[in-house]
Amino acid sequence: MWKDEIIAYARAILRGYAALLFSTNSGLGALLLLATLLAPSYGLLGLAGMLIALITAEALGFDHAETRSGAYLYNPLLVSLGLAHVHQSLHLPPTMLLLLLALCAVLALMVTVMLSSMLARQGGLPAMSLPFVLVALCIYLVAYAMTGMPVQAAAPAYLLPEPAGLPAAALSFFQGLGAIFFLPHALVGMLACAGLLAVSRLALLYAVAGFAAGVFMLQGLQADTSTIGLAPIAFNFIFAGIAIGGIFLIPSTASLLLVVVSSGICALTALAAATLLGVYAIPPLALPMNLAVLAVLAALRLRSVPKGAVMTPFLPSTPEENFHRYHAGALRFPHLLQPHLLAPFCGEWTVTQGMHGQLTHRGPWAHALDFEILDDRGRRCQGDESQLSNYFAYLAPVIAPCAGTVVKVVNHVADNPVGATNLEANWGNLVMIRQDNGVYVLLCHLARESVGVKEGDRVEPGTLLARCGNSGHSPLPHLHLQVQATPALGAPTMPFVLSHLAIRRGDEVRYASAVVPAEGSVIRPVAFTDALASCFDRLPQQRWRYRIIASGQQREESITCRVDEDGAYRLHSDATDAVMTARLVDHVWYALEFQGSPHSTLRDIWLGLARLPLTLDRGLYWEDRLDARPLMHPLARLLFDIAGPFLPYPALTLRQRLHLLDQGFGDDLTVTVETEISTRGIPALALCRAPQCVTVTLKPHRGVVGLTVAYADATVEVEPINQELAAPASGASMTCT
């Protein structure tokens, strides 16, 4: 047990070092630790301060995940390195040095915990190295109070000399990178740069861009940095470039432009800080970088209409992972952040006025939909058009499109004669629901005295609300649907999407998991069934062995599955070490990420089961778009990682269709999912061998029982050898072994 704790402590310390470069990579942390030990007096004191902070955080019960990830430790590390720099000047007695080290490390930890919580709650902002700046200023001022003299530390004793022959620009960059450790030594910076190159090429690109832009700004301002040197200022440019370019913003051309802006802010604030703090010979520290980054992030969060630069909407990782995760998600789920509603009716209805419609859906009320029932000939009614009762939509059931609470009901407004409107009661009879996510859903023009719910009632999707009518500003029976941010009638509308629709166009019916239906679309809700869901019910309890037959040769591959605590399926190929993640969300199976060999059967399952609505609705097809990187050559992937933010994102276009082979009950059900794959727009040289079509056969409780992968010149058949139930693993998740 104690060995496990020591290993966990060691990992936390290494991640604390890596956090200086916005990473959690332990290998990078080890390299940065080695870099600080090139000046042993600094490196050992920094390590000791971090260890004090780690022990204190564990003893006081601070957030375990934040501590072990290094998020609470890198500020105490920087403070301890700063104390080493002060000690280099003052030569403090050992007892006083150790006392100051303990006090400052604990203070840095406390300030980190406090500022992290405050900034996250107030504006969703990171604390970054602001705690270090505050505590380091205390150290410098205390040192001045103790001696009456400013800190003028000589360079520490380095184990190795400065490398010779470096160009002046490269030397300044490496020294600036090392200055974050109070060690403006080119070799320290070169080790940090090597680690950064190994972990993230984009981070290094933005570091160089930030440095170049900042130095250019200093030159443009004709700044004299001879007093404190360039390195204590330059590291602000470097770290602002990484933070803005690819950590807190999604890497893009816009984020690169903001790197230039942030470097300019850094240059300006660095000169101001150097002037203000120079009285006590205190360098600007990381104050310019923190002010620039926090100012940019806070301003971007307050945008009324986000354009250009996109803030990272999830826990930041490397710039490459941030970029790919965001764009792969945007390909498949472009409406993810908008309110999702189900169709508020049964059967087929037609969108007779779409969003930004020419009649009433204009200006602040542009995001709304009107629905009517039309027959195959486009007629609204049968018989006398002057009689409301002859209209197909009149008195048709209106159901709740979401879960929520009824907050407003109007039920007394008379229905208009055909062709007339009632502008005095513009919205007519209505039901307003406060959706669980906080937005308000309005359904109006309902029939008089047809509303069957009252204010305060809890409704679920499918709850009968009322009947379609012709009240208010409505010349013909129809249903109006909109979403707004406040409960006031007449409030501006906001964008929303309808989920799980079947959209009929001619003889084809397309399934859409989230869509803004166009005007003229004929739509109906999709009915889901547990029969198809049973194909996935034993994923964590089985181990699959498959025989792959290709070009007359055979091989075997085994696939196992476990379920994470957050409900994600993680399938693993024993033969190729490939991994696929998937989720069942709201009656739809989504294969999300694939990593590993493009020759794995798991890759073909990822393609063939990219998306599967759990419905037996005949004739449906649907489309999807997947990240093409798993099909790219390694070299092409590497090049795209570097240039990706400035290029179109490579996407596979999928067209999928469900076929019922045997619509029996229980285990007799057999379905196939046919997936056509298009690589149009992706250079052929960038791709490994890509299939044109993948057909997956599914059976209840058995999952994938067959796979056919069609290439331009060959076909690969995959068949199960056997499927065995595996014993559940102990713990929160189940693992097949």
Side-chain angles (χ1 to χ4, degrees):
M1 186 69 178
W2 61 271
K3 290 183 179 179
D4 293 337
E5 282 298 304
I6 291 176
I7 292 173
Y9 271 40
R11 286 177 178 167
I13 287 173
L14 294 180
R15 287 171 178 166
Y17 278 88
L20 292 176
L21 294 179
F22 305 100
S23 175
T24 57
N25 186 285
S26 297
L28 174 61
L31 193 60
L32 296 181
L33 170 59
L34 176 63
T36 62
L37 291 174
L38 288 177
S41 61
Y42 280 51
L44 292 175
L45 209 60
L47 183 60
M50 179 181 276
L51 187 58
I52 290 171
L54 174 58
I55 293 172
T56 303
E58 293 286 322
L60 295 179
F62 289 143
D63 189 292
H64 192 73
E66 294 292 301
T67 303
R68 294 296 173 93
S69 71
Y72 283 169
L73 302 180
Y74 68 89
N75 277 294
L77 167 62
L78 289 174
V79 166
S80 302
L81 291 168
L83 181 61
H85 182 70
V86 172
H87 173 60
Q88 186 73 17
S89 172
L90 301 183
H91 303 290
L92 300 170
T95 304
M96 182 180 294
L97 176 62
L98 293 177
L99 179 61
L100 277 175
L101 178 67
L103 287 175
C104 292
V106 172
L107 177 59
L109 171 66
M110 301 293 185
V111 175
T112 299
V113 174
M114 177 188 70
L115 285 182
S116 297
S117 176
M118 288 175 57
L119 290 173
R121 285 202 314 268
Q122 295 301 319
L125 299 173
M128 293 195 302
S129 56
L130 195 57
F132 150 67
V133 172
L134 297 176
V135 179
L137 285 174
C138 290
I139 293 175
Y140 274 92
L141 293 174
V142 167
Y144 186 86
M146 291 169 57
T147 64
M149 297 290 292
V151 173
Q152 294 179 339
Y158 291 101
L159 296 178
L160 297 172
E162 286 271 18
L166 286 174
L171 181 65
S172 297
F173 175 77
F174 291 134
Q175 288 178 341
L177 194 52
I180 187 64
F181 309 105
F182 291 89
L183 299 171
H185 188 279
L187 193 56
V188 175
M190 290 173 73
L191 286 174
C193 186
L196 200 57
L197 179 64
V199 171
S200 171
R201 275 66 59 193
L202 275 179
L204 182 57
L205 172 66
Y206 286 117
V208 173
F211 172 78
V215 171
F216 177 79
M217 295 293 181
L218 285 179
Q219 293 174 348
L221 295 171
Q222 299 181 358
D224 181 10
T225 59
S226 58
T227 304
I228 61 173
L230 178 61
I233 295 178
F235 79 82
N236 285 277
F237 307 147
I238 293 171
F239 286 89
I242 299 173
I244 293 296
I247 300 297
F248 300 115
L249 298 181
I250 301 299
S252 65
T253 303
S255 75
L256 184 58
L257 293 175
L258 278 176
V259 167
V260 176
V261 173
S262 302
S263 296
I265 298 173
C266 278
L268 192 65
T269 53
L271 294 176
T275 302
L276 179 65
L277 301 176
V279 177
Y280 303 100
I282 301 176
L285 302 170
L287 183 60
M289 184 270 290
N290 280 276
L291 289 178
V293 172
L294 290 175
V296 170
L297 294 182
L300 291 178
R301 285 195 180 278
L302 295 175
R303 290 178 293 178
S304 57
V305 181
K307 292 182 179 179
V310 178
M311 300 190 71
T312 307
F314 37 76
L315 191 64
S317 183
T318 65
E320 286 85 354
E321 186 173 339
N322 291 341
F323 175 75
H324 296 308
R325 185 178 175 189
Y326 173 78
H327 283 282
L331 281 174
R332 305 190 69 188
F333 312 109
H335 305 295
L336 183 62
L337 300 180
Q338 294 183 9
H340 284 54
L341 304 179
L342 298 174
F345 45 72
C346 302
E348 280 194 345
W349 290 58
T350 299
V351 180
T352 50
Q353 187 180 188
M355 295 190 183
H356 302 279
Q358 295 298 314
L359 299 175
T360 56
H361 300 172
R362 310 289 291 172
W365 307 282
H367 300 101
L369 297 171
D370 286 345
F371 306 99
E372 298 180 51
I373 299 177
L374 307 181
D375 64 15
D376 291 338
R377 298 172 61 182
R379 296 178 302 183
R380 294 180 169 87
C381 68
Q382 186 173 20
D384 186 354
E385 294 183 358
S386 66
Q387 298 298 313
L388 286 176
S389 59
N390 290 336
Y391 282 78
F392 303 128
Y394 188 64
L395 298 184
V398 175
I399 60 178
C402 61
T405 303
V406 177
V407 296
K408 192 182 294 291
V409 168
V410 175
N411 200 22
H412 65 276
V413 181
D415 288 304
N416 303 314
V418 174
T421 60
N422 181 355
L423 299 182
E424 184 177 351
N426 184 69
W427 303 98
N429 299 307
L430 61 90
V431 174
M432 183 181 289
I433 302 170
R434 185 184 186 277
Q435 198 176 2
D436 290 341
N437 62 6
V439 302
Y440 294 86
V441 180
L442 178 65
L443 303 103
C444 56
H445 308 312
L446 307 174
R448 183 180 186 180
E449 303 297 340
S450 72
V451 178
V453 293
K454 62 183 183 299
E455 295 177 6
D457 282 356
R458 172 75 184 180
V459 296
E460 299 296 331
T463 300
L464 179 62
L465 300 178
R467 301 279 175 171
C468 180
N470 195 41
S471 57
H473 190 184
S474 175
L476 296 171
H478 75 284
L479 174 64
H480 176 94
L481 175 67
Q482 68 182 50
V483 175
Q484 51 196 59
T486 69
L489 287 178
T493 59
M494 57 191 300
F496 67 94
V497 294
L498 295 184
S499 297
H500 308 309
L501 290 184
I503 305 173
R504 180 166 61 85
R505 179 175 296 175
D507 295 332
E508 288 197 319
V509 182
R510 178 172 70 92
Y511 164 76
S513 58
V515 68
V516 179
E519 193 167 299
S521 298
V522 180
I523 63 176
R524 59 177 168 82
V526 169
F528 295 107
T529 175
D530 292 335
L532 199 53
S534 64
C535 295
F536 302 100
D537 61 356
R538 294 183 183 174
L539 283 183
Q541 301 174 347
Q542 291 181 333
R543 179 176 185 267
W544 299 280
R545 288 178 59 208
Y546 292 106
R547 180 183 295 110
I548 297 94
I549 306 169
S551 302
Q553 298 182 340
Q554 298 185 15
R555 62 181 178 88
E556 293 185 9
E557 186 172 351
S558 296
I559 295 174
T560 56
C561 175
R562 66 182 176 88
V563 179
D564 285 354
E565 291 181 357
D566 63 352
Y569 295 95
R570 299 197 181 274
L571 287 80
H572 176 259
S573 168
D574 298 340
T576 64
D577 207 30
V579 176
M580 184 188 93
T581 59
R583 284 184 182 274
L584 268 172
V585 180
D586 198 17
H587 306 289
V588 182
W589 163 274
Y590 298 100
L592 298 176
E593 297 180 5
F594 172 81
Q595 296 179 340
S597 170
H599 307 294
S600 172
T601 295
L602 203 51
R603 184 211 66 169
D604 300 325
I605 294 176
W606 173 69
L607 291 170
L609 289 179
R611 184 185 309 232
L612 178 60
L614 304 183
T615 178
L616 298 181
D617 198 335
R618 290 181 178 273
L620 283 185
Y621 80 92
W622 58 95
E623 296 172 343
D624 206 343
R625 303 190 75 199
L626 288 184
D627 183 356
R629 289 183 309 122
L631 272 68
M632 295 172 69
H633 291 291
L635 179 59
R637 244 188 345 257
L638 177 62
L639 293 175
F640 182 75
D641 282 346
I642 299 172
F646 317 107
L647 299 172
Y649 200 82
L652 304 171
T653 302
L654 276 54
R655 182 184 172 100
Q656 300 183 276
R657 189 180 295 275
L658 181 72
H659 300 280
L660 303 182
L661 299 186
D662 186 351
Q663 196 175 3
F665 294 97
D667 294 347
D668 293 332
L669 177 69
T670 303
V671 300
T672 63
V673 182
E674 182 183 277
T675 303
E676 299 174 3
I677 302 164
S678 171
T679 59
R680 182 178 299 175
I682 307 173
L685 292 176
L687 293 172
C688 296
R689 195 173 182 221
Q692 295 179 333
C693 183
V694 176
T695 303
V696 181
T697 304
L698 297 167
K699 286 189 72 67
H701 315 305
R702 295 177 58 191
V704 178
V705 296
L707 193 68
T708 301
V709 185
Y711 295 89
D713 56 353
T715 300
V716 176
E717 296 288 345
V718 179
E719 58 186 31
I721 298 175
N722 60 18
Q723 291 172 290
E724 302 170 351
L725 290 179
S730 60
S733 62
M734 304 174 66
T735 306
C736 304
T737 58

